[in-house]
Amino acid sequence: MTGILFLEQLLNGLGFGLMLFLLAAGLTLVFGIMDVLNLAHGSLFMSGAYVAAQAHQQSGSFVAAILLAVLVTVVVAALLEVLLMRQLYKRDHLAQVLATFGVILVADDVVKMIWGPSPVMAPTPAALSGPIEIIDGLPYPAYRLVILGAGVLVALALYLLVNHTRIGMRVRAGASDRPMAELMGVHVGRIFNGVFLLGAALAALAGALMGPIVAVQVGMGEQILIPALVVLVIGGIGSVRGAFVAALLVGLVDTIGRAFLPMLLRATLPPATAADLGPLFAEVAMYALMVVVLIFRPSGLFSARA
C-alpha cells in the first residue's frame, strides 16, 4: 500500500461521496421536510443517467446532455408528483413504500422498453478524458476532478439555498409548523412541490455525472438507493449538512474498503477468495458505520433541518 495509491482512493471516495450526497440530499429534503418516503428516488437517478448518455451520444455536447437529463427527469418527477405522490402525502409510510416500490418496477420495465436490457455506454467528454497530474507521481482523471468540483459547488449552493434565502426560510417554516406557515401567507403546497422537483433535479444530476464511470443499466437506481438511505440515517433525517458529512463518510468507507480490504485479505486467504470477500466486507463496513453512529447518536449526526 503506497501513499500515492491511498491518496488516489481517497479522492475516489470523496467523489463517490459527493455523488451520494446529491442523491441523499433529495431524499432528506423530501423525507425530512415533507415526511414522504420515496423509494422511487433511485429511478430518477437512473433516468438522469440514461437520458444523459443518449443525449451525449447523439449531440456530442456533455453540458447539453446534462441539462436535458435534468429537464426530462424534472418533467417525469412533476408527473409522478401530480399523479401519485399527492395521493400519498397523508398516507402512512407503509403505503408510501409500497406505492413507490411499484414505481421502481414500472420504471425498470420502461427503461427496458426504450433502451433494452443491455447496459448503455455513457462516453466521457473528450476534453476530460485524459489525466491531470495533481502532484508528482499522481496522475488523476480530469473527469473525476470535475465530479469533485461539481459536487462541492452544488453542496454549497444547496446549503445557501436552504439556510440563507427566503425560499429556504419558507421551506423550514412549512416543515416545522405547516398550519402556522399557511396562516402567515406561505403557500406550503407550492413550496413542497418545489422541494420534490429539486430533489429530482439533484438525483438526475448525480446520474448524469456518474454515467461515464459506472454501468448505465437497468436497476442502477436501486443499487445506489441503499447507500443513499444509509447516508440519510447516519446524517440525520432532514439535515442537509448531515447528509453531506455522512455521504463523505460512506463514500470513503466504501471506496477505501473495496480498494484495500482484498489486499489485506490476500495475506491469509487465496487471491480468488480475497477478491470475493473484500467488496462484501467493504459493504458490511458501511452498515457497521451506521450501527456505531446510531448507538451513540440515535437521531443521526445532526439534528433535523440543520
Side-chain angles (χ1 to χ4, degrees):
M1 184 189 304
T2 66
I4 293 295
L5 179 59
F6 180 80
L7 183 56
E8 181 181 8
Q9 295 305 319
L10 182 66
L11 290 173
N12 288 342
L14 290 175
F16 178 54
L18 287 169
M19 292 302 99
L20 267 181
F21 167 72
L22 295 184
L23 189 65
L27 273 175
T28 199
L29 286 172
V30 173
F31 187 29
I33 293 177
M34 301 170 64
D35 196 30
V36 175
L37 187 55
N38 178 23
L39 294 187
H41 200 72
S43 298
L44 301 175
F45 171 86
M46 179 175 65
S47 169
Y50 267 96
V51 174
Q54 183 73 34
H56 191 193
Q57 288 177 1
Q58 294 185 352
S59 68
S61 172
F62 185 62
V63 174
I66 290 179
L67 294 176
L68 181 62
V70 172
L71 177 61
V72 170
T73 304
V74 167
V75 171
V76 171
L79 293 175
L80 179 65
E81 199 271 341
V82 171
L83 298 176
L84 177 64
M85 301 307 297
R86 290 184 185 180
Q87 316 304 319
L88 299 175
Y89 288 158
K90 296 183 180 180
R91 303 290 296 274
D92 58 27
H93 289 156
L94 178 58
Q96 295 167 1
V97 168
L98 292 175
T100 53
F101 181 75
V103 174
I104 292 177
L105 302 180
V106 173
D108 286 348
D109 285 340
V110 169
V111 167
K112 289 179 184 177
M113 290 172 56
I114 298 175
W115 286 281
S118 301
V120 172
M121 293 298 297
T124 302
L128 302 172
S129 59
I132 294 177
E133 192 160 357
I134 303 175
I135 60 174
D136 188 32
L138 178 56
Y140 196 72
Y143 183 73
R144 287 184 178 268
L145 289 176
V146 170
I147 287 180
L148 283 168
V152 170
L153 288 176
V154 173
L156 179 60
L158 187 60
Y159 172 78
L160 293 175
L161 174 67
V162 173
N163 294 280
H164 296 283
T165 66
R166 293 183 63 85
I167 293 176
M169 178 183 65
R170 292 173 179 176
V171 168
R172 298 195 307 274
S176 300
D177 192 338
R178 178 168 183 166
M180 181 59 68
E182 289 177 337
L183 286 174
M184 297 297 292
V186 177
H187 297 286
V188 176
R190 295 179 187 175
I191 293 293
F192 281 7
N193 294 345
V195 167
F196 186 82
L197 297 182
L198 175 61
L202 292 174
L205 178 61
L209 291 174
M210 286 290 286
I213 59 175
V214 300
V216 180
Q217 60 185 355
V218 177
M220 64 183 297
E222 296 91 283
Q223 295 172 7
I224 196 72
L225 181 64
I226 295 175
L229 290 172
V230 172
V231 167
L232 183 72
V233 173
I234 292 176
I237 296 174
S239 172
V240 175
R241 180 174 56 177
F244 180 76
V245 174
L248 294 183
L249 288 174
V250 170
L252 289 171
V253 167
D254 184 77
T255 302
I256 292 178
R258 291 178 187 275
F260 295 121
L261 279 179
M263 298 170 57
L264 297 176
L265 292 175
R266 286 193 195 103
T268 56
L269 297 173
T273 304
D276 291 337
L277 291 179
L280 178 61
F281 286 172
E283 187 172 353
V284 171
M286 176 179 67
Y287 298 115
L289 173 64
M290 180 177 67
V291 170
V292 171
V293 169
L294 291 180
I295 289 174
F296 295 99
R297 301 276 298 186
S299 61
L301 293 175
F302 295 90
S303 61
R305 303 174 192 90

